[in-house]
Amino acid sequence: MTVAEERSDGTGADEGADADLRLLQQSLTEVRRVIVGQDHMIERLLVALLARGHCLLEGVPGVAKTLAASTLSTVVGGTFARIQFTPDLVPSDIVGTRVYHPSSETFDIELGPVFVNFLLADEVNRAPAKVQSALLEVMAERQVTLAGRTHPLPRPFIVLATQNPIESEGVYPLPEVQRDRFLFKVRVVHPTAGEELEILHRMSVSPPLPGRVLDPERLLSLQKLADQVSVHQLVADYVVRLVMATRSPAEYGLRDLEEAIEIGVSPRATLGLVAAGRALALLRGRDYLLPDDVRDVAVDVMGHRLMLSFDALADGVDPEDVVRQILASVPPPLVVWNQAQR
């Protein structure tokens, strides 16, 4: 399959696109001044921002998950709040509650810490299900309903959640419906030996402080710009084929996955692949989506949405490996781009 496209941009449009790209690259540079390595995580955090998606960071303690989230909020600007999730947390600690004033015999609404641009839900899997469910409306609708009144959250709004995959005591696994609300689930690994040495040099004396590059208004305009990244019909068809391969593996030559996959990914994965791919294309300086953009984000978008069978879980099958197998089996369209048309 071949995609032939034409592009005719004016000089002013080129200059504006170059300025936007410089801002995005500068934002990445500022975060990397503080965070050593972890390029994949940093890029995914910025892509999630551009795509209006939430991000779940999974990794052992001490790999800069919390530091990356707080640093990104400083670089982008806007308000920031961190909630340390614990087993004794209640929903009102997050979304707010009604407060009675005896002097006036009236109730006032006390808004919770979720009313910020950047919400860091640290160790989100340590809170019970009732508290985790309080985030569902926040993440999906970007609003909170208290005492029959709806309170919209600030724009932009993103939830950056962290969880520790190795602990089981005092941990409540995230339900499938909540995992589905996250655009990305990013695994954060230990740094290499060279990165570890750089961490020692950079952070042991006077840690660098990030500078502010963006502001909420400019971020909103960049989000709208990401929405305008063009998606060819063949690329959209490729996204749908990837999703359908998780639901009907045999139709795509993946009979060995029929027993491993209990339930395929939801339509949110389809929308997430396009939204994240568009944001990644914008970050790479393009106004059109390529199959490679979709492939690059597919594991982080689809892996946590797959529900594996009991036997697959018992055998230690990794959902991300299942997605990689699907990517290897479902052929992407061949995109032909004539550079002379730029």
Side-chain angles (χ1 to χ4, degrees):
M1 291 183 288
T2 301
V3 179
E5 301 176 276
E6 294 183 358
R7 180 183 178 188
S8 58
D9 293 336
T11 303
D14 284 338
E15 292 177 353
D18 290 342
D20 292 331
L21 180 59
R22 284 195 300 269
L23 277 177
L24 292 174
Q25 294 301 327
Q26 187 180 352
S27 299
L28 287 175
T29 300
E30 283 298 315
V31 177
R32 287 168 178 157
R33 286 183 59 245
V34 179
I35 307 298
V36 179
Q38 307 295 2
D39 289 341
H40 179 76
M41 173 184 65
I42 295 171
E43 183 185 68
R44 288 297 179 266
L45 287 175
L46 189 55
V47 168
L49 273 177
L50 294 173
R52 301 186 184 88
H54 310 294
C55 191
L56 177 63
L57 305 177
E58 182 179 86
V60 297
V63 290
K65 302 185 298 295
T66 302
L67 180 60
S70 60
T71 301
L72 183 65
S73 69
T74 301
V75 172
V76 176
T79 53
F80 173 82
R82 172 183 174 180
I83 303 177
Q84 189 68 43
F85 278 59
T86 56
D88 59 347
L89 212 63
V90 294
S92 60
D93 293 331
I94 299 175
V95 299
T97 187
R98 291 198 305 169
V99 178
Y100 179 70
H101 296 280
S103 58
S104 59
E105 298 183 350
T106 58
F107 284 93
D108 285 341
I109 298 295
E110 190 74 26
L111 299 179
V114 298
F115 287 86
V116 290
N117 298 118
F118 293 86
L119 177 65
L120 175 58
D122 217 356
E123 294 187 292
V124 65
N125 55 336
R126 286 198 175 278
K130 190 173 183 179
V131 175
Q132 294 176 5
S133 65
L135 283 178
L136 292 181
E137 183 184 15
V138 171
M139 296 173 65
E141 309 297 335
R142 288 171 168 79
Q143 66 182 29
V144 170
T145 302
L146 293 172
R149 292 177 54 191
T150 299
H151 304 270
L153 293 168
R155 306 282 178 151
F157 174 76
I158 182 174
V159 174
L160 305 174
T162 69
Q163 67 176 10
N164 183 353
I166 61 174
E167 291 192 33
S168 58
E169 185 175 351
V171 168
Y172 303 82
L174 296 183
E176 289 79 7
V177 66
Q178 186 171 1
R179 293 204 309 266
D180 198 33
R181 296 304 201 278
F182 287 99
L183 173 65
F184 289 139
K185 177 186 175 183
V186 181
R187 291 186 179 177
V188 187
V189 298
H190 276 128
T192 64
E195 292 170 348
E196 198 81 24
L197 185 61
E198 177 61 25
I199 291 173
L200 182 61
H201 290 315
R202 187 183 302 184
M203 307 298 289
S204 62
V205 181
S206 180
L209 299 176
R212 180 172 174 177
V213 177
L214 298 173
D215 56 63
E217 291 74 21
R218 190 60 186 267
L219 178 58
L220 288 173
S221 67
L222 290 172
Q223 289 177 342
K224 293 179 181 178
L225 199 61
D227 294 338
Q228 297 170 7
V229 171
S230 63
V231 181
H232 194 276
Q233 179 59 38
L234 290 179
V235 181
D237 177 71
Y238 176 57
V239 169
V240 172
R241 285 188 287 122
L242 289 177
V243 169
M244 296 307 297
T246 68
R247 303 175 190 173
S248 304
E251 297 180 10
Y252 295 86
L254 295 165
R255 292 189 177 277
D256 55 326
L257 293 184
E258 280 195 315
E259 299 298 325
I261 300 177
E262 184 74 21
I263 301 177
V265 299
S266 72
R268 284 196 184 96
T270 308
L271 298 174
L273 285 171
V274 173
R278 278 173 157 163
L280 185 59
L282 180 65
L283 190 60
R284 292 172 172 175
R286 282 185 278 102
D287 60 358
Y288 54 94
L289 181 65
L290 291 178
D292 285 345
D293 301 321
V294 176
R295 295 174 64 85
D296 286 346
V297 300
V299 172
D300 296 326
V301 171
M302 299 172 64
H304 63 288
R305 291 182 164 94
L306 274 178
M307 292 183 60
L308 301 184
S309 65
F310 177 81
D311 290 340
L313 292 174
D315 292 339
V317 175
D318 190 339
E320 294 188 358
D321 289 338
V322 173
V323 176
R324 293 186 184 96
Q325 186 175 347
I326 292 173
L327 289 172
S329 301
V330 179
L334 176 63
V335 177
V336 175
W337 183 258
N338 186 356
Q339 294 295 331
Q341 294 176 344
R342 295 180 64 88

